[in-house]
Amino acid sequence: MALYIIGAGLSGLSTAYYALNKGYKDIIVFEASNHVGGRCYSFFDKAFDTYLDNGTHLISGANNTLFEILNSCNYKSDELINIGSKLSYFDNNKISSIDMKLKNVIPNAFKFLKLYPLSIKSILNTDKSEANKFLYFNTCLKLLFSKDNNFYLAKDNLSKSIILPIYNYLKDKVEFNFSCNVNNYSKDLLTIKNKTYKLNSCDKIICSSPKITKNFETIISIHYKTDIKLPNNLKMLGLINKTADWLFQKDWGISATISAANNLKNEDIAKKVWDDICLITKAQAPIPSIHRVIADKHATLKQTKNTIYQPNYKNGIYFVGDKTNKKLPCTIEGALLTGKDIINLI
């Protein structure tokens, strides 16, 4: 029995991992790009002289599937920086924080409500006026009742901290084919360029790229090469009623992220966010000459109560990926969980 996995993003890697652990021997992965990780990837930037992430991801200790996979892949725990259980935010020209341990959230409910517009927008990549409240509160419950209430950031970059440990674990046991765009597939065959794979009745195709082509939301990341530091030695800071949603301290500077950015049309967005950084840090400095704006226009689905997800099985084909998950938002954990679920289903 062979498993043909289309896509080496998070859900594709997860599918291959759980298939391998279930004893499958013949696992073939096809990836259209030249890297694993899908949208969760890093690239070398000559101007910065370092690797930049396509988008900065905050990792929760409640991401059980992620840590289950990483722990068995012998990843180095120091590749993830534990920033504790507090979320700090800037509002009305001052910095406040709330400890996300359940015993501390309840008596500080006002602060939690203060963070609500920012957190729902960030978690669902959808404006709070449209966002699916069920997905949001389901996520909050998992965060609050998790054994590990801490948050983590990649030490250097996402690829090194998360993606490569999984890939290195799989690469000698799973067949990976890069720069292979699948042209056509059905329950009986799979075509790549001029090559056709004929499937036996027990073979399975698992697609991690369901064909949903509309209703996406943009995430904008802005990287600044600067010596300016966030206040109070913070690694991360949320922003209330500002252009950016979150700021992240890096060794080489500061990164900013803006969620649900489809309608953001300000052409000088980097300067506007930089002005806010200067306000927060009390710095007086021109925008760094070395900065980069990355707009991922297909970052996630717009996650409203009316969002239509791809079924995980249709016409003999299995599907994984955050476009199939109705239980968790389009996040690292949501994508990985679909791979685990589909192998259990098969």
Side-chain angles (χ1 to χ4, degrees), residues 162-322:
I162 295 177
I163 304 303
L164 287 181
I166 302 173
Y167 175 64
N168 288 335
Y169 175 82
L170 294 173
K171 66 180 182 180
D172 294 328
K173 312 173 190 74
V174 173
E175 179 186 329
F176 282 89
N177 299 275
F178 294 100
S179 300
C180 287
N181 194 22
V182 175
N183 298 325
N184 188 32
Y185 59 86
S186 68
K187 65 179 181 179
D188 300 314
L189 58 84
L190 184 149
T191 304
I192 300 172
K193 296 181 180 178
N194 297 322
K195 186 174 182 179
T196 297
Y197 294 79
K198 293 184 178 180
L199 277 64
N200 296 321
S201 59
C202 58
D203 295 340
K204 309 292 183 186
I205 291 179
I206 305 169
C207 181
S208 66
S209 304
K211 296 178 180 179
I212 297 176
T213 58
K214 59 181 180 179
N215 295 325
F216 285 96
E217 264 291 357
T218 302
I219 294 179
I220 295 176
S221 299
I222 311 175
H223 304 294
Y224 303 92
K225 190 169 185 178
T226 176
D227 293 328
I228 293 174
K229 305 291 184 183
L230 294 179
N232 306 332
N233 293 317
L234 290 171
K235 293 291 185 182
M236 172 181 167
L237 181 66
L239 308 182
I240 306 292
N241 295 323
K242 298 295 181 184
T243 302
D245 297 314
W246 298 93
L247 301 178
F248 298 90
Q249 185 67 61
K250 305 288 187 177
D251 290 341
W252 42 260
I254 294 175
S255 285
T257 62
I258 308 171
S259 299
N262 275 3
N263 298 321
L264 196 61
K265 301 186 183 303
N266 191 318
E267 295 180 358
D268 203 15
I269 188 68
K271 175 64 167 59
K272 192 171 183 179
V273 172
W274 179 253
D275 288 342
D276 286 338
I277 291 173
C278 289
L279 171 66
I280 294 163
T281 60
K282 296 181 171 56
Q284 294 182 346
I287 183 171
S289 58
I290 300 177
H291 66 271
R292 175 186 278 270
V293 179
I294 302 172
D296 187 345
K297 295 183 179 181
H298 290 80
T300 71
L301 291 173
K302 182 177 286 190
Q303 297 164 88
T304 73
K305 64 179 182 180
N306 297 319
T307 296
I308 298 174
Y309 294 88
Q310 172 80 41
N312 59 13
Y313 180 79
K314 185 178 181 180
N315 297 331
I317 308 296
Y318 294 89
F319 294 92
V320 293
D322 50 25

Side-chain angles (χ1 to χ4, degrees), residues 5-13 29-32 176 182 206-209:
I5 301 171
I6 303 173
L10 286 169
S11 58
L13 291 175
V29 179
F30 302 101
E31 169 56 43
F176 282 89
V182 175
I206 305 169
C207 181
S208 66
S209 304

Side-chain angles (χ1 to χ4, degrees), residues 28-40:
I28 304 99
V29 179
F30 302 101
E31 169 56 43
S33 72
N34 62 359
H35 67 268
V36 293
R39 296 189 308 273
C40 187

Side-chain angles (χ1 to χ4, degrees), residues 127-174:
D127 187 85
K128 65 181 178 64
S129 63
E130 302 177 274
N132 186 321
K133 308 300 189 294
F134 166 79
L135 284 178
Y136 173 73
F137 286 111
N138 189 41
T139 304
C140 288
L141 289 175
K142 290 183 181 296
L143 293 174
L144 294 174
F145 287 93
S146 172
K147 292 181 180 179
D148 184 354
N149 295 111
N150 295 313
F151 297 98
Y152 301 84
L153 293 170
K155 179 182 177 182
D156 296 315
N157 58 75
L158 285 169
S159 290
K160 183 180 178 183
S161 296
I162 295 177
I163 304 303
L164 287 181
I166 302 173
Y167 175 64
N168 288 335
Y169 175 82
L170 294 173
K171 66 180 182 180
D172 294 328
K173 312 173 190 74
V174 173

